[in-house]
Amino acid sequence: MSEASDWQTLLDPFAWVVYELGDRVPAKTVAAALRGMLRSRSDDEIRSIVAACKEPTETNCWWAIYQAAQLLPRAAEQVLRDRGWGAADEGGR
């Protein structure tokens, strides 16, 4: 069994939320749950998570990681904006 890459390790907790909530709740609820998870992370951690979101494809990971990677950049941008920062992919202040 191969070891998970760094981006998979970063995205895995978020993927489990996507998996658990799945089709049982609206997409807005999933996004809110991901934002809640991001709020407990530092700005640098959030930027690392956003960078990791560029790695998954439809064929190189679990579907829930791929789906989380689609949702997380916007959620991260909202969290950082709430903190008074710019977009997640900017260098910050």
Side-chain angles (χ1 to χ4, degrees):
M1 181 180 218
S2 64
E3 291 185 33
S5 63
D6 290 343
W7 61 265
Q8 288 171 317
T9 302
L10 279 172
L11 298 179
D12 193 59
F14 302 97
W16 280 103
V17 170
V18 169
Y19 173 76
E20 290 293 327
L21 296 178
D23 294 330
R24 293 185 285 268
V25 298
K28 288 177 131 181
T29 303
V30 176
L34 296 178
R35 281 192 308 276
M37 292 174 71
L38 288 168
R39 284 189 185 103
S40 67
R41 306 290 180 109
S42 72
D43 293 349
D44 287 339
E45 287 175 306
I46 292 173
R47 288 188 179 90
S48 293
I49 290 164
V50 170
C53 289
K54 297 174 184 170
E55 299 298 325
T57 67
E58 292 180 351
T59 60
N60 72 353
C61 63
W62 180 34
W63 69 265
I65 287 179
Y66 180 77
Q67 187 65 39
Q70 303 304 301
L71 298 170
L72 281 165
R74 182 171 170 90
E77 184 176 336
Q78 291 173 336
V79 169
L80 291 174
R81 189 171 293 135
D82 289 347
R83 292 180 182 178
W85 292 85
D89 60 348
E90 292 179 0
R93 292 183 183 170

